[in-house]
Structure formats: structure tokens, C-alpha cells
Amino acid sequence: MTNTGNKNRIAATRPQGELTLAKFYLTTAIDYVNGEPHLGHAYEKIAADVIARYHRLAGDDTLFLTGTDEHSLNVARRAHEEGISPKELCDRMVAAFKRAWEVLDISYDRFIRTTDEDHIATVKDIVRRIYENGYIYQGTYAGWYCVSCERFLNESDLVDGRCPVHPTRNVEWVEEKNYYFALSKFQERLLQHIQAHPEFVQPETRRNEVLNRIQEGLQDVSISRSTVEWGIPLPIDEKQVVYVWFDALINYVTGAGYVEPERFGYWWPADLHIVGKDITWFHCVIWPAILMAAGLPLPKTVFGHGFINIQGARLSKSAGVVVDPVKLAEEYGSDAVRYYLMREVSFGKDGDFSIPSLRERYNADLANDLGNLLNRTLAMIERFLGGVVRRREVERIGDERDAALVRTAQAAVRAYQERMEALDLSEALAAVWTIVGDANKYIDEKMPWALAKDPARREQLELVMYNLAEALRVVAVLVSPFIPRAARGIWQQLGLEGLPGAATPDEAGLASCREWGWLPDGTQVKKGAPLFPRLEPTPAEDAGAATPAPAVSQAAGGAGAAGKTDKTEEGADLISIEEFARIELRVARVLAAEKVAGADKLLRLEIDLGGERRQIVAGIARFYTPEEMVGKEIVVVANLKPAKLRGIVSEGMLLAATSADGQSLALVTPERPVGPGAKVK
Ligand code: MSP
């Protein structure tokens, strides 16, 4: 689709000062397969997927590698317990990982398994190269081993005689003849590299940890096991197998096509390894040393992300704290899980996962902010413009408010790109939501329903609706790496062709977002089902255990829903007089009022409804003190189902009007006293 109205197309370029990369190769850690995928694994794969999709959107030739680490002792032991071969167990678990990544829309280009033929060949070749270069020698290992980490531990690493990362498991004493890698020879080169390349270890905190540890001194590490059978035979001594970490790290060069030199020359070195903070040592010290020893270039960046915890406890198989990401996605949708994790947790830091906070984010950001913007906009385009968007130019007929929306969007696009390049994924999303927030406000301020009543203001109405649809187009492109399904849904409902987030020089591409006006004139919208239907409060939320946000908007009407307008206000969904008659509005007198402890927006009111005494909870505390409420006559919905807010039953809802900017609120009261119980109609 071409944009005939736009004069100034721009080429897809990166922000100023950024190198335009011809290719972008990124990887995740490969997961152990002795347990099902959990939310921690999913978090990492989602973050990597967002980055991969962003790079495709930015026009980079992108290779995204993920996979499984299969030669672990845990696998061998579990397979033995189940009476099957390790490979059979791996095959079964790999199916579970692949299914999880499918449900979560992880768009990897290759799923590597360390049992793949090309990986086995690559590992053997790299070991041989390092041996020939003189960095592998024979020795005897006598020390501790943590099977969960697959890590050799010194006495000084132990805490109370146990592995600090897996305190519920016993460490094992290992004494065997094996081969060593001369890590100590790389201490100086590693230090120099990390100091000279601040981008090599990210974020900054991990870089400092790694530098400090290297400065403490490096010891040579064992790279083979003679008492383990499940693994890749060591090419220089086939009675031994390659130590699982040595094998696993090499997956990154296998994935770049090591066995096909031309392909490897194109993809290697990797641009970004995304790994958890627990394994930065392997990736920032051992891995670059292996590459140096093999004479291969080093990756550009290793990013050590934080951990997803539950009430502060680390999610982990061995500690039995797990959340099934597939079930979560099945219940809330893949986009909701992706959005929540990316928005809630600052990439690089730890974050706490909880269902109430997921539900809160979903309702606030997705259902209310984004979902409402789409529904309101499309409903109005259908109702007022017969479903057809007319391209009208801000410069020609717009005012300061129109220009402000365009400015907000353009600043957001710049911030988004800058944050994405810095891997600050949550702030990139926050930047997009500034467009969503401003567009919702723009509706309230422009009041298209009023413009629609005046034929002389038709062009103004068309401009407002164009700007809203254009804002949604930009949002769809920008969110496409994060919530690809919703982005597609917005695109389809806007009536656009193709897919948002395509690296194309048209309205689907990133470059087009930097300019206003790519939405084609004459676009016919196709309003569909809501993308994010609102989640009703759970019994726990009703009891006040979780977020009060949805409940507040229910109790206070306009107050809680500030900035959002009821659908009927726009005339989108008209109701009949009979439907209105079902709502019983009555005058009530406030007998007593008090603040609700722990909820700064809520007041508890005791009211007289004409001989009947009730209590209601209302989100008006920011606008009225308890004292000024007492004695007032107010209007309440008397036949509303009771709801619990912060554990207090609210038996009705008062009516109040909120200003467009949400900054002031006024109670609806009878113009002269009529007495409690009077009907309002
Ligand atoms: N097999 C090794 C990695 C080899 S990479 C050459 C491994 N596997 S793992 O299954 O234990 O972890 C896989 C990834 O998931 C790691 O990056 C790890 O940090 C990450 N996570 C595991 N639990 C996590 C959380 N609770 N939160 C976030 N990520 C965490 O280590």
C-alpha cells in the first residue's frame, strides 16, 4: 500500500550516531532440559524475542538463536530413573520447550540442541583447535561439584557446605583425571578487553562484578569428565566427555554456522548474548577466553538480566518454586504475559511476579488505555464518518492541540528507539504509552461527538479522527515487538494491509513512525472484538487483597475512570429507554463519612436512602473531605450489585462528574433539597 498523500518519505535509518548494522545475531542461554520450562526461562526468551523483533523492524538482517543444553548430569540421572535413554528424555523435554515458545510467540530462527550433529562437530573442532594452540593440558581434579549448576566449586565457594545458588541440594566430591583449560593465561587480555569495551558486559553492575572477580585472579578450569558418559566425546581422549559448560557455550558458534565457513564469516561474532545474571561468569570470562584460545573474535555484548522472583524467592526447579508460562499464556494471552514481564521488570534488574500485579497491568494499560483508545476511535470513525478515514493535515486545519498530539508521538518514537537501542525495554514501552495516554486525553478534549453535530465542522472532525487512527497506527508498529498479536489486531481493525512491524519503507515500518501522515487516505476501518477484554475482579480483589484500581472506577464512576469516557458518551452504543429504566437512581443524604485506611482515594459513606440506611465506598477522597460530605444530598445508583472495595462492601455507587483532564470532580446533587429516597429520572 502506498501513501499518496505523503511528500516526505524517509529512509529507514538508525538514530543519529548509531551505526546501521547489516546483520544482528543474538542468542539466549540454552536451557537445561531436566525440568519443564518455567517463567524464568520464558522471561529471558521473551526479552530476546522483543529485541529480535525490534531489529527486524529496524531493518537489520537478524538471526535469533535459542535452544537446549542437553548433556547435563541431571538429564542422565533423570533418564536413568525413568528407565529411558538420555536422548529420549531430551526429545520429550525439547517438545515441551518448543511448545512453550510457540505459545509465547518466540520467533527464533533456529532452535539449537547440543545433541545436534553440527554442534557435536563444532565442539570437537574447537577443542582440537584450542589443544593445538597449547591451552589444554592433562591434570587431576579433586574438589566439589554442584550438579544443578554443573559447576566445579572451591571450598571457599561453599556456604554452610552447600552451593550458594542451590542450598537445597548437596554438592558432590569429585576426584578424577581430566583435562584443564588454561584460563589463567587470559587474565590480562580479558581485563584489557572489558576495560576497553564498556559495551562488552552489560548492565554496568554486572561489568563491575566481573572486573572485580577477574582482578582477584583466575584459575585454570577442568573441561572434561572421565566419570560421566552422557556428553560429547573429547576429541583428544575419547574415553572422556567434554564438560557440559564447555560444550554448551560453543552452541553460539555452532548457531552462527561454524561448519559452513562462509555463513560463519557473515554471522560471527554475535552481537548480543542474553543470559541470566547467575551465569555471567561463564559468559564474560570463560567464554571469551575460549574464543581467544581458539583464535575467534569475541561477541560484542553479553547482557546479564535479572531474576524473576515470587515474593522475593527465586523461581527455580530445584527449589520447587515454578510458574508454568504456558498456563499463564493460556489464561491471560501471550501478549498479556509478554507485556507484563517487559513493562513491570526493568531489564537488568530483578522483578517480582504476582498474578494481582499482572491483572492490574492488564486492566490498566492494555484493557483501559490501549483497548479503550482503539474501541473509542473505531466506534467514532464508524458512527461519524461511515467507517472511512479521511486524511486531513494538521498544518492546514489543525490547532495547537492537534500539533501537541503529533509532537507527543514524535518525541515518543525518538525515546522508544533510543531506549530500545539501550536495551531499556520497559522504558521503551512507557514511551509508547505516552502516545496512548495523550490520544485518550485528546478525545476528551476534542469531543468528536460535539463536532459531529455541526456539519460546518466536518473537516475538523475528520482531522481529529485521522489523528487518532494515525496515532494507533504508530502505536501498532512500535508495540509489534512486544505484543505482536495485539499489534496485528490493531492493524486489521484499522483496515490496513500487511503487518505492522515489517521492515518496509511504508506505513508498516519503523521509519514511517517518525513522520505524521502515513495512514492512507480513504482507509476503511473494520472494528472487531475488543483486543483486551477487561478482567473482572477476582474474589480476592473484591475482598481488597489486591489492586483497588478496577474497584475504584466502579465505585466512583467518573472519578476512577478519569481520562476515559464511557462508550455511550460518544454515541457509539446507544441504549433504549427501557435499558435506562433498569437503573434505579435515587437521592440519598450522607449521614456519616470517613476515610478508608490504606486507600487514599476512598471514602466510606453512610447514607439514608429514604428510610433505608446503607454504606457506599466512593473514590472521591482526593476531592472531598469526610466533613464536607456529611449532610449533602447526593445521587446514587440504588440497584447496583454490591461490590467489595478494600474489604468493605459498597451497596451502591454515587454519581459524580469529572473534568476532561481528570483534575477536578463534582458530585451530582439535586439543585434544591428533595429529601432522601427521591427518584431521579
Ligand atoms: N544451561 C545453562 C545455560 C547454558 S548457556 C550456554 C543454564 N540453564 S538453565 O536452564 O538453568 O537457565 C537458562 C536461563 O534461564 C539462564 O540464563 C538463567 O539465568 C535463566 N533463568 C533461570 N531462572 C530464572 C529466573 N527465575 N528468572 C530469570 N531468568 C532465570 O543455566
Side-chain angles (χ1 to χ4, degrees):
M1 184 178 284
T2 52
N3 174 12
T4 45
N6 199 307
K7 291 154 266 139
N8 311 313
R9 290 193 192 163
I10 46 173
T13 49
R14 305 300 280 271
Q16 279 192 335
E18 283 291 334
L19 209 62
T20 299
L21 298 171
K23 65 95 187 167
F24 193 85
Y25 174 35
L26 83 158
T27 67
T28 67
I30 49 174
D31 302 320
Y32 288 134
V33 287
N34 52 305
E36 268 70 26
H38 61 60
L39 195 66
H41 299 136
Y43 171 68
E44 177 178 283
K45 282 22 172 207
I46 292 169
D49 184 64
V50 167
I51 297 166
R53 285 177 189 263
Y54 169 75
H55 278 273
R56 292 189 196 115
L57 170 64
D60 290 334
D61 188 11
T62 304
L63 176 63
F64 172 21
L65 181 77
T66 192
T68 42
D69 187 355
E70 305 186 9
H71 294 123
S72 94
L73 213 52
N74 279 316
V75 164
R77 288 181 183 172
R78 181 161 162 191
H80 182 74
E81 279 162 23
E82 292 190 23
I84 54 175
S85 73
K87 183 65 170 39
E88 277 172 307
L89 175 65
C90 292
D91 289 348
R92 197 177 79 206
M93 296 308 295
V94 163
F97 275 89
K98 285 190 171 168
R99 157 131 173 84
W101 303 160
E102 192 187 326
V103 170
L104 287 162
D105 299 307
I106 308 300
S107 63
Y108 56 80
D109 296 297
R110 174 168 175 188
F111 188 98
I112 193 169
R113 300 181 53 176
T114 51
T115 48
D116 286 343
E117 284 304 320
D118 62 341
H119 178 66
I120 294 170
T122 303
V123 169
K124 288 184 172 178
D125 200 69
I126 300 267
V127 171
R128 204 173 285 117
R129 255 170 103 155
I130 299 178
Y131 181 68
E132 282 162 10
N133 289 345
Y135 296 110
I136 290 177
Y137 63 92
Q138 234 184 334
T140 304
Y141 180 76
W144 297 105
Y145 193 81
C146 170
V147 180
S148 295
C149 293
E150 295 285 3
R151 193 184 292 222
F152 296 97
L153 295 166
N154 297 320
E155 194 72 46
S156 60
D157 294 327
L158 305 183
V159 176
D160 298 331
R162 286 167 184 256
C163 165
V165 185
H166 297 99
T168 56
R169 307 280 300 263
N170 287 328
V171 285
E172 297 177 11
W173 180 257
V174 173
E175 213 171 309
E176 60 186 43
K177 243 176 83 173
N178 52 25
Y179 288 83
Y180 274 85
F181 170 53
L183 180 64
S184 56
K185 294 211 169 132
F186 295 93
Q187 176 158 345
E188 271 318 302
R189 279 177 68 189
L190 285 169
L191 272 178
Q192 272 166 18
H193 185 81
I194 297 173
Q195 271 152 357
H197 298 90
E199 75 289 355
F200 181 65
V201 184
Q202 282 186 31
E204 187 72 20
T205 46
R206 308 266 179 275
R207 182 165 177 263
N208 296 336
E209 285 160 15
V210 167
L211 278 172
N212 289 341
R213 279 194 61 188
I214 299 177
Q215 270 152 351
E216 283 167 17
L218 295 181
Q219 288 171 10
D220 294 350
V221 290
S222 169
I223 57 138
S224 71
R225 300 294 314 265
S226 57
T227 55
V228 176
E229 278 172 24
W230 174 235
I232 299 177
L234 192 74
I236 50 174
D237 180 351
E238 298 247 332
K239 289 191 292 303
Q240 306 218 3
V241 296
V242 178
Y243 165 48
V244 61
W245 265 102
F246 212 81
D247 159 356
L249 288 163
I250 293 171
N251 93 86
Y252 304 129
V253 297
T254 310
Y258 185 78
V259 294
E260 299 165 67
E262 214 172 296
R263 203 171 106 78
F264 186 61
Y266 178 72
W267 288 112
W268 192 259
D271 296 276
L272 180 61
H273 291 316
I274 294 170
V275 300
K277 65 176 186 182
D278 56 332
I279 55 174
T280 42
W281 176 254
F282 287 100
H283 284 83
C284 303
V285 178
I286 298 184
W287 179 226
I290 292 176
L291 290 167
M292 286 172 180
L296 292 172
L298 304 193
K300 293 203 182 78
T301 297
V302 176
F303 189 96
H305 63 75
F307 267 72
I308 301 294
N309 299 323
I310 292 191
Q311 291 177 342
R314 180 186 158 187
L315 275 167
S316 88
K317 289 183 282 252
S318 55
V321 185
V322 287
V323 175
D324 180 353
V326 172
K327 281 208 187 108
L328 210 57
E330 280 165 356
E331 184 163 358
Y332 294 100
S334 149
D335 278 352
V337 177
R338 292 170 64 103
Y339 177 82
Y340 167 71
L341 290 172
M342 294 299 102
R343 180 70 189 88
E344 190 79 7
V345 185
S346 173
F347 198 47
K349 304 220 172 84
D350 290 353
D352 222 56
F353 169 83
S354 79
I355 296 281
S357 73
L358 183 151
R359 295 175 63 89
E360 186 177 349
R361 277 263 174 225
Y362 176 101
N363 271 342
D365 298 5
L366 298 176
N368 269 2
D369 293 348
L370 181 58
N372 267 353
L373 177 63
L374 181 72
N375 288 348
R376 301 167 79 189
T377 301
L378 297 188
M380 290 189 288
I381 293 171
E382 285 190 341
R383 183 164 170 77
F384 304 143
L385 301 179
V388 180
V389 184
R390 287 281 151 225
R391 189 170 188 279
R392 297 284 171 252
E393 286 168 18
V394 174
E395 305 82 46
R396 195 168 61 80
I397 53 167
D399 61 15
E400 176 45 35
R401 184 62 185 90
D402 300 301
L405 177 66
V406 178
R407 277 199 304 275
T408 302
Q410 293 187 339
V413 176
R414 281 194 298 275
Y416 166 89
Q417 258 194 288
E418 199 225 333
R419 293 295 86 213
M420 288 302 286
E421 300 283 340
L423 303 180
D424 187 355
L425 308 178
S426 61
E427 284 305 306
L429 272 176
V432 182
W433 255 252
T434 62
I435 310 179
V436 176
D438 196 46
N440 270 318
K441 267 200 205 151
Y442 177 80
I443 298 180
D444 299 339
E445 289 167 33
K446 285 284 179 182
M447 298 192 287
W449 47 94
L451 295 175
K453 289 199 184 117
D454 181 356
R457 297 169 78 194
R458 173 84 183 177
E459 267 212 319
Q460 295 296 325
L461 173 68
E462 287 171 346
L463 175 69
V464 171
M465 298 324 302
Y466 183 85
N467 286 341
L468 287 168
E470 174 68 349
L472 278 163
R473 176 191 73 82
V474 171
V475 167
V477 174
L478 301 184
V479 298
S480 63
F482 292 88
I483 45 174
R485 287 172 195 241
R488 259 194 321 267
I490 298 172
W491 208 249
Q492 278 156 8
Q493 295 205 21
L494 281 174
L496 291 168
E497 287 172 14
L499 286 177
T504 46
D506 60 17
E507 72 274 4
L510 185 57
S512 74
C513 295
R514 293 189 215 117
E515 279 201 337
W516 201 250
W518 279 79
L519 187 89
D521 182 40
T523 301
Q524 170 90 46
V525 303
K526 299 189 189 87
K527 187 170 184 296
L531 295 180
F532 297 105
R534 205 180 154 73
L535 298 170
E536 291 309 321
T538 60
E541 283 166 348
D542 269 344
T547 166
V552 169
S553 70
Q554 184 196 357
K564 279 136 214 130
T565 319
D566 191 284
K567 274 198 272 174
T568 53
E569 183 186 37
E570 293 141 14
D573 294 326
L574 300 182
I575 62 165
S576 65
I577 186 81
E578 291 77 21
E579 281 174 284
F580 176 67
R582 293 190 56 216
I583 301 171
E584 189 189 331
L585 298 175
R586 285 186 186 277
V587 172
R589 174 165 298 130
V590 180
L591 303 172
E594 65 176 11
K595 290 202 163 194
V596 173
D600 54 6
K601 290 186 185 152
L602 299 184
L603 288 187
R604 189 184 74 85
L605 309 176
E606 280 178 34
I607 55 171
D608 174 5
L609 249 187
E612 187 194 352
R613 201 175 163 125
R614 286 196 195 175
Q615 75 172 5
I616 60 172
V617 181
I620 56 172
R622 282 201 297 129
F623 306 99
Y624 290 91
T625 61
E627 297 72 41
E628 64 186 313
M629 288 303 295
V630 176
K632 268 201 197 316
E633 282 195 350
I634 57 173
V635 177
V636 298
V637 180
N639 62 341
L640 196 67
K641 272 194 202 143
K644 264 193 186 171
L645 307 176
R646 290 286 167 130
I648 304 172
V649 179
S650 181
E651 303 160 311
M653 176 176 95
L654 61 72
L655 297 191
T658 316
S659 64
D661 63 2
Q663 294 308 310
S664 74
L665 174 142
L667 292 170
V668 174
T669 61
E671 191 257 329
R672 64 177 80 124
V674 283
K679 262 190 100 133
V680 179
K681 47 182 188 170

